[in-house]
Amino acid sequence: SMRVATLLSLFGSAIGIKGEDHMTLTAGGLLHDVGKMVIPHEVLNKAGKLDDKEFGVMKSHVTHTLEFLEKTQTLPKGVIIIAGEHHEKLDGTGYPFGLAGKELNQLARMATIIDVFSALTDRRVYKPPMSPEKALGIMGSMTGHLDQTLTLIFKEMLLDSVGDL
């Protein structure tokens, strides 16, 4: 979540998001998966593919996250939207709400891009890390899932930062 928050903060800066919206974006990245703390360890860290029942348990982390975040009255609504929509897909096949297209919040679309990038490039118990280049190639083909305009901006941001090193 710290990596997601950092990348979201950089991504937000790259497209000119400032002030409260930038803070909301960063906080949304930090808190988007807080509901995973109630997912059983054997599901969360399973070395193999999840079966349908286990996948259902894993998907419930979004609902658990929303339950936790909605108890905090002072939390910006955008943080809750990011947490609730980060597994939604442009084509409506995501979860938990099946939102599609314009129903998806722009900050949540950004969070989805970063969440997918992190999932692909992080080392997980069930897979080694993927190179950023390969991950970006895969993400570029996820037209029904990811906002491709924002994905291209994210890719350019990453390439610009590598050029600065």
Side-chain angles (χ1 to χ4, degrees):
S1 290
M2 200 57 168
R3 183 174 187 223
V4 170
T6 300
L7 287 172
L8 267 174
S9 178
L10 294 170
F11 192 14
S13 293
I15 65 170
I17 295 175
K18 297 180 176 161
E20 280 299 311
D21 286 340
H22 191 264
M23 185 62 72
T24 296
L25 184 63
T26 304
L30 188 61
L31 298 172
H32 78 288
D33 273 345
V34 73
K36 283 187 176 179
M37 68 183 169
V38 300
I39 303 301
H41 180 78
E42 59 273 7
V43 172
L44 192 59
N45 293 306
K46 183 176 179 180
K49 184 173 169 39
L50 299 176
D51 64 31
D52 288 345
K53 183 178 178 186
E54 292 165 330
F55 188 58
V57 170
M58 181 61 84
K59 288 182 357 181
S60 74
H61 83 276
V62 177
T63 305
H64 293 299
T65 297
L66 293 173
E67 289 169 359
F68 288 125
L69 297 182
E70 287 170 350
K71 291 179 182 177
T72 306
Q73 309 245 330
T74 58
L75 198 63
K77 183 176 168 81
V79 171
I80 296 169
I81 291 170
I82 289 168
E85 294 183 15
H86 77 278
H87 283 293
E88 298 290 346
K89 299 178 183 180
L90 289 176
D91 63 9
T93 61
Y95 64 90
F97 308 113
L99 301 175
K102 293 182 181 182
E103 295 175 301
L104 299 171
N105 177 281
Q106 182 176 359
L107 298 181
R109 289 175 187 226
M110 294 170 68
T112 300
I113 291 165
I114 302 303
D115 192 54
V116 169
F117 181 78
S118 291
L120 293 172
T121 60
D122 287 350
R123 179 179 314 280
R124 301 285 169 99
V125 68
Y126 53 86
K127 68 161 200 68
M130 183 182 291
S131 74
E133 297 82 7
K134 185 173 181 181
L136 290 168
I138 290 170
M139 292 168 66
S141 69
M142 298 173 75
T143 56
H145 184 160
L146 301 176
D147 180 317
Q148 289 301 308
T149 301
L150 288 173
T151 300
L152 183 58
I153 294 168
F154 174 66
K155 179 179 180 179
E156 290 171 358
M157 179 202 82
L158 287 179
L159 293 175
D160 285 348
S161 68
V162 170
D164 292 339
L165 296 178

